Amino acid sequence: MRVDVVTVFPEYLAPARLSLLGKAIGAGTLQLHVHDLRKWTTDRHRTVDDTPYGGGPGMVMRPDVWGDALDDVLESLSPETRIVVPTPSGIPLTQRRVEDYAQVPGLVIACGRYEGIDARVWQHFSKRFAVDELSIGDYVLAGGEVVSLVILEAVARLMPGVLGNEASAADDSFAQDRPGGALEGPVYTKPRSWRGLDVPTVLTGGDHGKVAEWRLQQSLRRTASNRPDLGLGTEEITGQ
Ligand code: ADE
């Protein structure tokens, strides 16, 4: 899969060359192209923003600069490419959407800064491409660069050969195959006893059926406690 990121801070994407993402890039599973938006500026100061029409604080990114950048970046890309615009006013990023992105040939992630990008850019490009304005949570970041790393990492780990153990993505919190989309429960490793704390005996007893049942209970309990909004209450645990 190909991912193009357009940003005024291309160096922000350097961590994408590390670890799991770095390996996916090295193996050719992921082609990452990072573009400096200022390349498409035309003035001496390489200006990308201006004051908002209608007044108010902050600056808005100019449609002419973004338009030229996206014309060039999208020119050679598949019409199935998705444009992703990180913004706190977007639709929430979920594991479902990540799974969907893992199926498309490419993403172009348009990282805004300041008060955002002139809305006409999306009016224009949504005539030819699917455009998703996307939020990664109910808090405000300074720009979309961190969001692009989040998307890259979440998508790359679903791609074949990227995780060492293919089974582990299916077992994740929020993964499609997990019963009811509950969260993953607690995990343990050696030593069996540490600072007076023992690993739950069910996990060392060798009964796989009991282990599976215990993990399900733990998962539902954690979901009810940490994420009551997911709607998997204690009824699922007790059957009442
Ligand atoms: N840009 C600033 N805050 C953001 C958020 N929460 N999600 C996506 N993009 C953002």
Side-chain angles (χ1 to χ4, degrees):
M1 149 176 226
R2 172 172 172 147
V3 178
D4 288 75
V5 180
V6 186
T7 165
V8 285
F9 294 117
E11 309 81 21
Y12 232 114
L13 272 292
R17 315 274 166 191
L18 303 174
S19 185
L20 190 113
L21 277 173
K23 271 193 221 151
I25 293 169
T29 317
L30 175 69
Q31 290 114 44
L32 176 63
H33 298 259
V34 181
H35 310 272
D36 185 348
L37 179 70
R38 291 193 202 277
K39 186 178 142 192
W40 286 276
T41 56
T42 49
D43 64 320
R44 206 157 53 88
H45 300 291
R46 311 185 81 200
T47 310
V48 293
D49 58 354
D50 214 320
T51 51
Y53 276 119
M59 300 290 269
V60 174
M61 296 188 101
R62 294 177 59 104
D64 48 356
V65 180
W66 271 106
D68 289 350
L70 292 173
D71 281 345
D72 282 355
V73 170
L74 289 162
E75 189 179 46
S76 60
L77 300 182
S78 152
E80 302 301 310
T81 300
R82 302 282 182 88
I83 301 178
V84 177
V85 189
T87 163
S89 11
I91 50 173
L93 179 64
T94 59
Q95 189 65 18
R96 287 301 85 76
R97 196 167 296 279
V98 169
E99 286 159 6
D100 178 36
Y101 288 159
Q103 307 294 321
V104 301
L107 301 175
V108 172
I109 308 178
C111 299
R113 285 254 144 190
Y114 323 114
E115 295 304 310
I117 301 169
D118 187 301
R120 289 169 293 178
V121 176
W122 315 122
Q123 259 179 292
H124 174 78
F125 284 97
S126 61
K127 291 179 198 150
R128 284 192 294 134
F129 292 90
V131 178
D132 292 342
E133 292 186 293
L134 203 74
S135 165
I136 62 162
D138 293 339
Y139 40 80
V140 181
L141 302 167
E145 289 75 13
V146 169
V147 181
S148 65
L149 286 171
V150 168
I151 297 169
L152 276 164
E153 189 158 310
V155 171
R157 60 188 293 289
L158 296 184
M159 295 168 59
V162 172
L163 283 187
N165 177 1
E166 293 299 319
S168 60
D171 207 38
D172 286 342
S173 294
F174 305 114
Q176 201 121 54
D177 325 18
R178 196 157 190 89
L183 306 182
E184 250 187 288
V187 294
Y188 300 88
T189 186
K190 295 177 193 66
R192 186 184 281 217
S193 185
W194 176 77
R195 297 191 180 180
L197 301 168
D198 293 339
V199 170
T201 48
V202 63
L203 297 180
T204 54
D207 183 332
H208 299 306
K210 283 214 176 105
V211 169
E213 176 56 23
W214 181 85
R215 284 189 171 148
L216 178 62
Q217 298 292 324
Q218 292 292 318
S219 151
L220 292 171
R221 185 167 301 158
R222 183 175 276 194
T223 308
S225 158
N226 291 357
R227 294 295 303 275
D229 57 300
L230 292 179
L232 298 163
T234 39
E235 321 82 71
E236 280 84 355
I237 301 172
T238 59
Q240 281 155 26

